[in-house]
Amino acid sequence: MLPGTQLSRAYDKDVAGRADVYHFLNKTKDFVIDASSGVITSTKVFNYETDPIKFLLIVDSGGLRRRVLTVNIIDVPESPDCTADPQFSSGTATVELDEDYPLFQSIYRVTATDEDFANGDRLKYTIETQLSGPKRGANCFGVDPVSGVVSVNGEDSLDFDSGFHVFQLALRATDTKGLFCQGTLIIRVRNINDEKPQFEPFPLNLINVTEKMPVGEIIARVKATDRDEDSSITYSFKTQQEVFRLDPVTGIITLLKPLNLDKPNNSKVYPLEVEARDNGNHSSTYVFTVSVENVDEPISCDSSFSTGAGVSVSVPENTPASAPIYMILSRDPDLEQEVEFLILNSSVNATAYFNLDSHNGVISKTMEPLLDYETNPKHFQLVIAVRSREDLSVESCTGTITINIQNVNDESPILTYIPDAPINIYENLPVGTELVKLTATDRDIGDSVHYEFIDTPKEFSINEDSGVVTVAYPLDYEDVSTPKSWVLYFRAYDNERMHSTTGTLTVILQDVNDNRPQCSQDIYIIELPENIPVETLLVSLACTDKDGTVPNNNITYHLITDTFSNETFTLTNNELKIGPSHLDFDNAVFAGMHFKYTLFVRVSDEGNPVLSTMITVIVRVSRINELNPTGTTLAFTFSIFENSPVDTLVGEITFTDADWPFNNVKYAIVGGNLGTPPKFYIEPNTGMIKLLDSLDREMQSQYKIAVRVTDLDNDALPDPIRQRSATAQVTVHVLNVNDEPPVCTPPHLETRIYSAMKTPFIQLNCSDRDSPQEHLSYSIVGGNTNNRFTLWRRDFGPPSLAATQNFQGDVFQGILAPETFQLLIEVTDELGGDTVSQLSTTTAVIIHVFPWSTTQPTPSTMTATTTITTSVLTKISYYWSPDNWIPAVLTLTGALFLTCLYAVAWCLFKDVPACWRLFPHCHKHQQKHPSITAGESGQVTSDSNAISAQLSEKGSQDVEQLRKDSGSDGRHLALTSMKVTKPLSHLLYLKRSFKTTALSSETEEMFSA
């Protein structure tokens, strides 16, 4: 049933015509009800075997009553399904099996399903059709109706060779209701070798042949067939055969040996058993007989004798009597038949020299005469017939025998040239060098001479044909296995080696200077300390020369040095020593040589040519710290101002060290009154002593320091094993700087005097910690009204205060009543020194002056009430310190000003004839203008002491004239009056023009103005 099939309809007349009134009260996905019409339909295809077979549907229409609809699923038979194997259902399922596949063994199983199995349904399997090919009609397979297994049923033989190569089976699976599914199975049969070969027999199993059948002729061909497809058959004899041959592929039987029945060992019947075997190891045999028939045969002769020109025989001329020369090969093939030999014809005298035996056909030499190649004929011919003795009707054979006489080698070679004296050769002759050519002759006609050494020395070889003796092996005079001379035994022989002649050849080996001196070492590497003593032995060279004779093996040694090492090493014989100069590591040139000497020793022999060998001796020198650091002095004195800032350079100690690396020293302060904390430190690499703390000369004016100077890395051993040092004493003087102002004690004074006092009445007590008393200056800078007081100083001590006049009332500007004066006195240090660095202080002196009277004044020591006012005197000293950029601007401005001044001077003086003295380019400029004539110059007058000069526009010539006039009598030239028509630059030129003349002061003032 398809989805959407209408099953039933609900109807309620109470709600008829209304919409959306019918509903299922129970939920279901398998059925739906139309809410308006009440039509009930299915939603899917039901399966009796898997789905419920009964459904209860409760229909509600909205009224009081509900209805139940029961839906029963009825089983419908279904067809079996053969799609479990898609190839089977599509007709492409294929299996392969051999043609001898066992009966009833599973080949293929049909897989079919049926959903009705749950209801007890069963399937039955059958073969609907069975087609075979290429031969049709076979029924070889069956199927089990229950299991569906396909197998060979044995009804027809499954034989590939019968034409059953492939089968197509239509298999069907049918249920109990008659429903079915089917598919196709293709079975391919593989051929196997299961058949024996079958022979095709000969008639009567017999083959007849004649005894004349030639060897190699085909006797018969056996043939066997095999029903197996593509089967190959091979043939063979069951027993070993010597007379017949069987081709294993074609089965052709050929003759290997003659079947001549005249031979007693040959048989007339040959039974043969042949086996045929296929490639599957199946075989069969066939037995047949070969029968041989007898044939009467003519006399048989050697084919070379009975055909053509016959047989040609060569015999030497010295062939002895009765010696057989040739035997004619001939026989009667038939058994028990004999042949005889006859000479039918011969050449001249042939029968005199040769004899024929009529029974065996042997030709031999007669007793007389002897053969002689030089006098007798060179060729003899015999025509001979061979026939049967008993039956003359049997065909005979005839042939020709030609006998050629050969010359015999019966002469020995004769030596024609052998050196009389020994042959001297040098050891350096290359292989293949010719020493001598031996010659010999042989009187035999056509014979040639060959040569060979009897004892076969390896050093020499002789050409077999030419007799040339050459060097065959490298010669070495020094090789102990090489002889120094040879006696060579040689042989000259003919072609057949029948005759030979021997001789001797002496060869003497000469030494050649071909070996360089050989030393035990080619290079020596020696490491020595630089302080090794002179005459120390460095190396003793061990060299030899393999050459065996003097002077080739005499050795000399020669030292090759450069200019740097020429005086450092000496070679005596084979001993290399230090000297006459000692080794010195501490040398800049030696440093460039990486502190090593490279020496070459040429070891030479005295041969010709001279051969030599170079030996390299590398002497590496290790450094030794030999010298202490040294300075120009061991006591250094430096000075430094007490107000110097920290890190100010006090001084530099310079020490040198002649050990390499040069001057590689470090400095360290090791003692002295450095102060607490230390006032100085020293840079270890430079020796520069610098200030570490502030100084105060008033506290300490001198320091003594001990500085140790230690060398670094001046020895092959690491520091400090062999370090050397020196100690320097340094004295540092602290220079005074005016940094302390004067101090007066007490800071102010007070005294009383009478107006009549004329002597110093009070002495100042002032001092300066950094200035002596004589460097202090005193001055009254305030309160000295009308200069009534002055300072009176004796020598360099502190001054005293004194009155300049008395204070009597009748004296001008005197006093008539007591009066108090407050004086400010300035005390300044650095008397006559730099005013910028001067320091000063002031002290106040209060003086009570009383007029002179008869009344005795109160002693000055009495206390008087005085009001003291403090006055501060400020004195400012001004000086200018420009910024850094101001000098640069002034320099640039000055340069520009000088450039402009030079340009103005050039413009003014370019037409003056003497301009070129100041301006080199004037000469070129004046060449473009005409020169000034004498008439254009001013007139110059002179008297005994003065010269009046008037300059015109071309006044330069007058200047020259003035110079000449003034120089004539050596008097001074005074310029008293001058009419100037040119700018001031002409005056400057005039002054320069008189550089050799003394000018009066008035003239100088004029030029200065």
Side-chain angles (χ1 to χ4, degrees):
M1 184 175 62
L2 298 176
T5 303
Q6 182 176 342
L7 303 179
S8 181
R9 179 183 179 185
Y11 176 75
D12 189 347
K13 63 180 180 177
D14 294 331
V15 296
R18 297 180 187 179
D20 195 16
V21 294
Y22 296 103
H23 303 282
F24 287 136
L25 290 181
N26 54 339
K27 295 182 179 181
T28 178
K29 297 180 181 179
D30 301 326
F31 305 93
V32 294
I33 185 170
D34 188 278
S36 299
S37 62
V39 174
I40 299 173
T41 58
S42 63
T43 61
K44 70 174 186 178
V45 177
F46 291 92
N47 192 328
Y48 184 86
E49 287 74 25
T50 60
D51 293 333
I53 62 175
K54 186 175 183 179
F55 297 89
L56 297 178
L57 304 177
I58 303 174
V59 181
D60 181 19
S61 62
L64 297 177
R65 301 181 64 184
R66 296 177 177 84
R67 293 290 185 264
V68 177
L69 175 65
T70 301
V71 180
N72 295 314
I73 306 301
I74 301 173
D75 185 22
V76 177
E78 296 173 303
S79 299
D81 185 5
C82 294
T83 60
D85 185 354
Q87 292 182 344
F88 173 73
S89 60
S90 63
T92 60
T94 303
V95 294
E96 291 186 358
L97 51 86
D98 295 334
E99 61 177 329
D100 60 347
Y101 198 82
L103 296 175
F104 308 112
Q105 184 171 330
S106 175
I107 299 174
Y108 179 81
R109 181 170 187 156
V110 180
T111 304
T113 60
D114 192 342
E115 293 184 355
D116 296 327
F117 281 163
N119 301 323
D121 200 2
R122 295 292 181 266
L123 295 179
K124 179 180 181 181
Y125 298 93
T126 57
I127 298 177
E128 294 301 311
T129 59
Q130 185 172 173
L131 302 178
S132 62
K135 186 178 180 180
R136 300 184 179 276
N139 186 14
C140 299
F141 300 96
V143 62
D144 188 283
V146 177
S147 63
V149 173
V150 179
S151 61
V152 180
N153 59 12
E155 183 174 343
D156 290 330
S157 175
L158 186 62
D159 189 1
F160 184 91
D161 304 314
S162 298
F164 304 133
H165 297 173
V166 62
F167 289 83
Q168 180 175 318
L169 307 182
L171 300 172
R172 176 177 294 179
T174 306
D175 60 10
T176 56
K177 302 297 189 297
L179 300 177
F180 65 89
C181 68
Q182 71 177 30
T184 302
L185 176 64
I186 298 174
I187 302 176
R188 300 186 184 279
V189 180
R190 288 192 295 262
N191 185 29
I192 63 172
N193 192 352
D194 57 351
E195 299 287 345
K196 291 183 178 181
Q198 299 296 326
F199 280 97
E200 298 179 4
F202 297 119
L204 301 179
N205 297 325
L206 179 66
I207 298 176
N208 295 313
V209 297
T210 64
E211 65 174 336
K212 296 297 183 180
M213 176 172 285
V215 174
E217 187 76 15
I218 296 176
I219 295 177
R221 177 178 182 178
V222 294
K223 184 178 182 181
T225 57
D226 193 330
R227 296 179 66 243
D228 290 318
E229 185 176 330
D230 298 329
S231 178
S232 60
I233 299 176
T234 57
Y235 302 93
S236 62
F237 287 122
K238 290 290 287 183
T239 58
Q240 183 69 29
Q241 294 293 326
E242 296 180 358
V243 180
F244 303 99
R245 176 183 179 275
L246 175 62
D247 189 291
V249 177
T250 62
I252 295 176
I253 301 175
T254 56
L255 185 63
L256 292 179
K257 292 183 178 180
L259 300 175
N260 193 350
L261 296 178
D262 298 330
K263 294 182 179 181
N265 294 331
N266 288 350
S267 174
K268 290 184 178 183
V269 177
Y270 296 91
L272 300 178
E273 184 178 6
V274 178
E275 179 185 57
R277 183 178 298 274
D278 60 13
N279 50 8
N281 207 26
H282 296 284
S283 64
S284 61
T285 59
Y286 175 56
V287 179
F288 60 95
T289 303
V290 177
S291 176
V292 182
E293 298 179 357
N294 185 23
V295 176
D296 194 8
E297 298 173 312
I299 295 175
S300 174
C301 296
D302 185 4
S303 58
S304 60
F305 164 75
S306 59
T307 59
V311 177
S312 178
V313 180
S314 296
V315 296
E317 60 177 324
N318 60 350
T319 299
S322 301
I325 296 174
Y326 183 77
M327 180 178 181
I328 301 173
L329 299 179
S330 179
R331 67 181 182 84
D332 191 336
D334 295 327
L335 295 176
E336 300 178 358
Q337 296 293 325
E338 293 182 0
V339 296
E340 63 177 350
F341 302 88
L342 302 172
I343 297 177
L344 300 180
N345 195 5
S346 65
S347 61
V348 178
N349 297 327
T351 56
Y353 292 94
F354 302 99
N355 183 35
L356 174 63
D357 190 323
S358 61
H359 291 89
N360 55 22
V362 174
I363 300 174
S364 58
K365 176 66 177 65
T366 59
M367 299 299 293
E368 293 291 342
L370 297 177
L371 294 175
D372 188 358
Y373 181 83
E374 289 73 23
T375 59
N376 293 338
K378 307 299 186 290
H379 308 284
F380 298 92
Q381 280 189 344
L382 298 173
V383 179
I384 301 173
V386 182
R387 62 184 183 181
S388 175
R389 291 182 180 272
E390 289 77 12
D391 188 0
L392 297 180
S393 64
V394 178
E395 182 180 355
S396 63
C397 61
T398 303
T400 302
I401 301 297
T402 302
I403 301 175
N404 301 309
I405 307 303
Q406 291 181 335
N407 187 26
V408 176
N409 183 10
D410 53 359
E411 298 288 342
S412 296
I414 299 174
L415 297 175
T416 58
Y417 175 73
I418 302 177
D420 298 331
I423 300 175
N424 294 298
I425 62 173
Y426 291 105
E427 62 173 323
N428 61 348
L429 288 180
V431 174
T433 301
E434 180 179 339
L435 303 182
V436 67
K437 182 177 181 179
L438 305 175
T439 59
T441 60
D442 193 328
R443 295 175 60 188
D444 288 321
I445 299 175
D447 204 357
S448 59
V449 180
H450 305 282
Y451 306 87
E452 65 179 1
F453 284 125
I454 296 176
D455 51 358
T456 315
K458 69 175 183 178
E459 293 83 3
F460 305 98
S461 65
I462 186 170
N463 187 278
E464 181 182 4
D465 298 322
S466 64
V468 174
V469 179
T470 58
V471 177
Y473 189 82
L475 303 177
D476 188 0
Y477 190 90
E478 293 72 35
D479 189 355
V480 295
S481 63
T482 301
K484 304 303 181 286
S485 62
W486 296 266
V487 177
L488 304 178
Y489 295 90
F490 64 91
R491 178 187 295 115
Y493 60 91
D494 55 18
N495 290 336
E496 303 296 332
R497 287 185 173 268
M498 295 182 62
H499 305 281
S500 63
T501 302
T502 59
T504 59
L505 177 67
T506 302
V507 179
I508 298 176
L509 183 63
Q510 300 290 332
D511 186 26
V512 174
N513 189 22
D514 57 349
N515 289 287
R516 299 177 184 275
Q518 299 294 322
C519 301
S520 59
Q521 288 183 235
D522 295 331
I523 183 170
Y524 293 85
I525 299 178
I526 305 170
E527 186 165 353
L528 301 171
E530 61 174 323
N531 60 350
I532 191 169
V534 176
E535 293 297 324
T536 298
L537 177 64
L538 296 183
V539 64
S540 180
L541 304 178
C543 301
T544 58
D545 195 314
K546 290 184 178 180
D547 288 315
T549 59
V550 177
N552 294 340
N553 55 8
N554 286 343
I555 296 177
T556 59
Y557 301 86
H558 176 67
L559 178 63
I560 302 175
T561 60
D562 52 20
T563 55
F564 182 78
S565 57
N566 187 32
E567 297 296 328
T568 311
F569 301 95
T570 303
L571 180 65
T572 303
N573 294 329
N574 65 330
E575 294 183 346
L576 182 63
K577 298 181 179 180
I578 302 293
S581 300
H582 61 81
L583 300 179
D584 186 8
F585 186 91
D586 312 313
N587 190 294
V589 177
F590 194 44
M593 299 167 58
H594 303 288
F595 303 105
K596 67 179 181 180
Y597 296 94
T598 302
L599 310 176
F600 299 96
V601 178
R602 184 172 59 239
V603 184
S604 306
D605 57 22
E606 297 180 359
N608 186 19
V610 175
L611 300 179
S612 61
T613 299
M614 297 297 292
I615 298 177
T616 303
V617 181
I618 299 176
V619 181
R620 299 182 184 273
V621 181
S622 57
R623 53 186 172 185
I624 299 296
N625 193 4
E626 303 173 287
L627 304 173
N628 293 329
T630 59
T632 55
T633 179
L634 295 178
F636 296 85
T637 302
F638 304 112
S639 299
I640 184 173
F641 289 101
E642 63 176 328
N643 64 342
S644 299
V646 173
D647 209 39
T648 299
L649 176 64
V650 176
E652 182 177 359
I653 297 177
T654 303
F655 268 67
T656 60
D657 190 347
D659 286 315
W660 182 270
F662 297 142
N663 308 325
N664 189 24
V665 296
K666 69 174 181 179
Y667 302 85
I669 298 176
V670 296
N673 56 339
L674 298 176
T676 304
K679 300 295 184 180
F680 308 97
Y681 75 93
I682 189 169
E683 292 184 352
N685 296 328
T686 62
M688 299 173 65
I689 300 175
K690 293 186 177 181
L691 189 62
L692 184 62
D693 196 8
S694 60
L695 301 174
D696 189 354
R697 183 180 181 279
E698 288 71 30
M699 297 295 295
Q700 185 170 348
S701 61
Q702 186 184 82
Y703 296 88
K704 290 187 179 294
I705 303 172
V707 177
R708 178 182 294 135
V709 184
T710 307
D711 57 17
L712 298 173
D713 300 328
N714 291 139
D715 197 274
L717 297 177
D719 292 340
I721 298 177
R722 291 183 181 172
Q723 277 187 306
R724 292 175 176 265
S725 61
T727 303
Q729 300 298 327
V730 181
T731 301
V732 180
H733 295 285
V734 181
L735 300 180
N736 186 33
V737 176
N738 189 19
D739 58 351
E740 298 283 347
V743 177
C744 295
T745 304
H748 60 271
L749 297 173
E750 185 178 0
T751 188
R752 294 175 176 84
I753 64 172
Y754 290 106
S755 60
M757 178 69 69
K758 295 182 180 181
T759 60
F761 55 84
I762 191 171
Q763 186 177 15
L764 301 178
N765 184 16
C766 298
S767 63
D768 194 327
R769 294 180 63 187
D770 52 11
S771 297
Q773 191 62 235
E774 60 268 20
H775 287 176
L776 300 179
S777 63
Y778 300 83
S779 62
I780 302 174
V781 296
N784 192 8
T785 305
N786 297 323
N787 295 323
R788 285 177 173 150
F789 299 97
T790 184
L791 292 173
W792 184 80
R793 192 175 188 179
R794 177 183 293 180
D795 300 328
F796 299 104
S800 298
L801 190 63
T804 59
Q805 60 183 3
N806 57 43
F807 294 91
Q808 297 296 329
D810 55 352
V811 180
F812 177 74
Q813 294 182 349
I815 61 172
L816 297 178
E819 188 174 355
T820 299
F821 296 89
Q822 292 186 10
L823 300 182
L824 289 179
I825 299 175
E826 182 183 44
V827 184
T828 305
D829 57 13
E830 299 292 335
L831 180 63
D834 186 6
T835 58
V836 176
S837 62
Q838 284 181 338
L839 300 176
S840 63
T841 189
T842 58
T843 184
V845 180
I846 302 173
I847 305 172
H848 302 279
V849 180
F850 296 93
W852 179 259
S853 66
T854 59
T855 302
Q856 183 70 24
T858 303
S860 61
T861 59
M862 295 178 65
T863 304
T865 302
T866 304
T867 301
I868 300 176
T869 61
T870 302
S871 300
V872 178
L873 177 63
T874 301
K875 183 179 180 180
I876 302 175
S877 299
Y878 295 94
Y879 67 96
W880 180 58
S881 177
D883 293 334
N884 293 333
W885 60 270
I886 294 179
V889 173
L890 292 178
T891 303
L892 181 60
T893 304
L896 293 175
F897 175 75
L898 292 176
T899 303
C900 294
L901 184 61
Y902 182 87
V904 172
W906 158 255
C907 294
L908 295 177
F909 287 95
K910 63 183 179 180
D911 296 329
V912 177
C915 173
W916 60 272
R917 296 184 180 181
L918 296 177
F919 306 100
H921 298 286
C922 286
H923 179 68
K924 298 181 180 179
H925 174 75
Q926 291 176 355
Q927 288 179 352
K928 302 178 181 178
H929 305 281
S931 61
I932 302 174
T933 61
E936 296 174 343
S937 63
Q939 297 179 353
V940 180
T941 60
S942 63
D943 56 11
S944 60
N945 295 319
I947 298 176
S948 296
Q950 183 179 1
L951 296 176
S952 62
E953 293 181 357
K954 310 290 191 297
S956 60
Q957 292 185 354
D958 296 334
V959 174
E960 295 296 329
Q961 186 64 36
L962 287 173
R963 294 182 61 185
K964 293 179 181 179
D965 296 341
S966 64
S968 60
D969 54 3
R971 293 177 299 173
H972 294 284
L973 177 63
L975 185 62
T976 58
S977 64
M978 180 179 296
K979 180 179 181 181
V980 181
T981 60
K982 284 290 183 177
L984 182 60
S985 58
H986 279 220
L987 294 177
L988 297 175
Y989 171 72
L990 180 62
K991 179 179 179 181
R992 292 173 181 172
S993 300
F994 287 99
K995 61 182 179 179
T996 58
T997 305
L999 300 179
S1000 65
S1001 61
E1002 295 82 1
T1003 307
E1004 287 289 345
E1005 293 176 357
M1006 181 183 297
F1007 281 119
S1008 300

